[in-house]
Amino acid sequence: MKMGLGTIVHLSSITLCMHHTQTQIQFQRFGFPYSKSKNLLPSLSTTSSWGIKLKSKTLSLSLSLMASATHFQVSAEDGSVPSQELGSSPSHAIGQHDLLIVGPGVLGRLVAQKWRQEYPGCQVFGQTVTTNHHEELIKLGISPSLKWTKEDYKFPYVIFCAPPYQSADYPGDLRQAALCWNGEGAFLFTSSSAPYDCNNNGFCDEDTPVVPFGRSPRTDVLLKAENVVLEFGGSVVRLGAHVYWLEKGIVESRPDHILNLIHYEDAASLSVTILKKKCRRRIFLGCDNHPLSRQEVMDLVNQSGKFSKRFEKFTGTDDPLGKRLNNSRTRAELGWEPKYTSFAHFLETL
């Protein structure tokens, strides 16, 4: 077995993806889902491309794991799309730029799109929990499979984007993914900024200490998974910790909780940058460096003039605070900058 050195990417609490043609806002936080069914909104139109759905008659903010498909097509140079699954022999030998995506959801699909732009003609494979979206993946040029690839199938590039809530043994899943990496390119795991030991709206960067083992089952799972990644040489993208909805009207959450945003396209471009640089045993952080409170986010939405309804207020006083993320070191080291520099910048593009 080849052992490599790994890279960890800490993405901010919220990663956003938005189609500018929609009028309903949905924010999206990654990681361990939490929701109160009484607060969940019914399905409203199609998914927008910033973690936000915008609807002209009803303004809503939701932080949720987005499961629906993004609207782009990934295909080979000749316009064809691969249809074989990993359980069978690939149509071609694994090439030097071929990519395996474990958990090809919204972020994984954007990574696939950007990866194929960087390496036209490469093969992209996707490992999933169910067959629910296999037809979509095939149309996007991603060859899907339910089962782990056989040991014969080793990939130079592997990215793990599956959230922990779908797994009974998350560190074990990371170990399986690591065994699919041949150690030649890079292995990146999408994790969360939750392990950073800061929950008082304080400053947090790549050097902030992590939560000690044993304090929180949620962070324990992530830290154990990251340790597996470092052992084998994978890469990790850290994403947020729970799911909830902010519905138009009065919301029982404190308004001063700090959120850290990054556009889905920027999260994908950062991941691709790290994969291409073949980073080893490094911890990176992804955010837009413009942390906002819940109230500030809603004020920007209300002030944008893009929506027909207005959010009223938050009424919470004792729920947890957040953290103010800054990833200047990551940007300097990788030479990377986000396309959307802030949430306000994004709203201007609508």
Side-chain angles (χ1 to χ4, degrees):
M1 178 189 306
K2 285 191 175 181
M3 301 289 287
L5 301 179
T7 302
I8 294 179
V9 179
H10 301 277
L11 287 192
S12 65
S13 301
I14 302 173
T15 301
L16 300 177
C17 182
M18 183 97 176
H19 289 308
H20 305 272
T21 58
Q22 298 302 322
T23 53
Q24 173 189 352
I25 288 192
Q26 174 186 2
F27 281 99
Q28 173 162 344
R29 180 175 292 209
F30 294 84
F32 292 84
Y34 165 81
S35 66
K36 297 180 180 178
S37 58
K38 64 180 180 180
N39 293 332
L40 290 180
L41 296 176
S43 177
L44 298 174
S45 73
T46 57
T47 303
S48 61
S49 158
W50 252 77
I52 299 179
K53 282 185 176 181
L54 305 169
K55 189 175 181 181
S56 57
K57 294 184 178 179
T58 302
L59 172 61
S60 65
L61 245 74
S62 74
L63 284 83
S64 65
L65 236 79
M66 199 186 308
S68 57
T70 52
H71 301 288
F72 57 80
Q73 178 78 17
V74 182
S75 60
E77 287 180 297
D78 61 0
S80 64
V81 293
S83 60
Q84 75 274 359
E85 294 195 356
L86 290 174
S88 60
S89 298
S91 58
H92 303 287
I94 299 301
Q96 63 176 339
H97 296 128
D98 288 353
L99 173 68
L100 171 64
I101 302 172
V102 181
V106 175
L107 178 58
R109 296 177 192 194
L110 281 168
V111 168
Q113 179 193 35
K114 293 181 181 297
W115 192 256
R116 296 289 281 271
Q117 291 171 351
E118 294 289 332
Y119 301 106
C122 71
Q123 298 181 104
V124 178
F125 301 88
Q127 195 82 52
T128 66
V129 176
T130 72
T131 60
N132 293 346
H133 300 288
H134 278 201
E135 184 175 345
E136 298 169 13
L137 294 174
I138 291 171
K139 290 178 180 179
L140 296 173
I142 300 172
S143 299
S145 176
L146 269 180
K147 301 177 180 179
W148 288 102
T149 60
K150 298 178 181 179
E151 289 190 9
D152 293 342
Y153 300 142
K154 301 284 187 178
F155 299 84
Y157 295 93
V158 178
I159 182 168
F160 189 106
C161 301
Y165 77 92
Q166 295 178 316
S167 172
D169 181 11
Y170 202 52
D173 288 346
L174 267 298
R175 190 172 297 275
Q176 289 276 12
L179 293 173
C180 295
W181 182 43
N182 66 14
E184 295 177 2
F187 172 31
L188 181 65
F189 162 51
T190 60
S191 182
S192 168
S193 59
Y196 287 124
D197 193 9
C198 177
N199 289 290
N200 59 356
N201 281 356
F203 179 84
C204 178
D205 64 9
E206 294 91 342
D207 297 321
T208 299
V210 297
V211 176
F213 274 107
R215 181 192 295 177
S216 166
R218 185 182 72 189
T219 55
D220 282 357
V221 169
L222 290 174
L223 291 171
K224 289 176 182 178
E226 290 180 1
N227 283 343
V228 171
V229 170
L230 292 175
E231 174 190 349
F232 281 91
S235 309
V236 177
V237 178
R238 291 183 173 178
L239 308 170
H242 62 274
V243 177
Y244 59 90
W245 293 78
L246 300 178
E247 184 177 357
K248 176 194 174 297
I250 298 175
V251 176
E252 296 180 2
S253 296
R254 60 189 303 165
D256 54 343
H257 177 102
I258 294 298
L259 308 174
N260 297 276
L261 313 180
I262 184 170
H263 194 289
Y264 256 131
E265 291 181 21
D266 292 326
S269 71
L270 176 59
S271 297
V272 168
T273 296
I274 295 166
L275 288 170
K276 288 181 63 180
K277 287 184 176 291
K278 304 179 181 180
C279 297
R280 296 291 189 271
R281 203 177 294 275
R282 299 304 314 277
I283 297 177
F284 296 105
L285 175 62
C287 59
D288 69 5
N289 280 357
H290 286 84
L292 297 170
S293 69
R294 289 176 177 143
Q295 187 64 57
E296 288 172 327
V297 169
M298 293 313 303
D299 287 346
L300 285 170
V301 170
N302 285 341
Q303 295 164 10
S304 69
K306 305 293 178 70
F307 315 106
S308 62
K309 297 293 183 179
R310 294 179 63 85
F311 177 78
E312 295 182 27
K313 63 181 179 179
F314 295 97
T315 61
T317 58
D318 57 359
D319 46 307
L321 292 171
K323 59 196 74 174
R324 298 178 183 272
L325 298 180
N326 181 283
N327 69 339
S328 295
R329 192 187 75 185
T330 291
R331 298 184 187 205
E333 180 172 340
L334 297 175
W336 173 86
E337 292 290 336
K339 174 182 177 181
Y340 297 96
T341 56
S342 67
F343 181 62
H345 176 206
F346 162 71
L347 287 175
E348 291 173 359
T349 68
L350 293 178

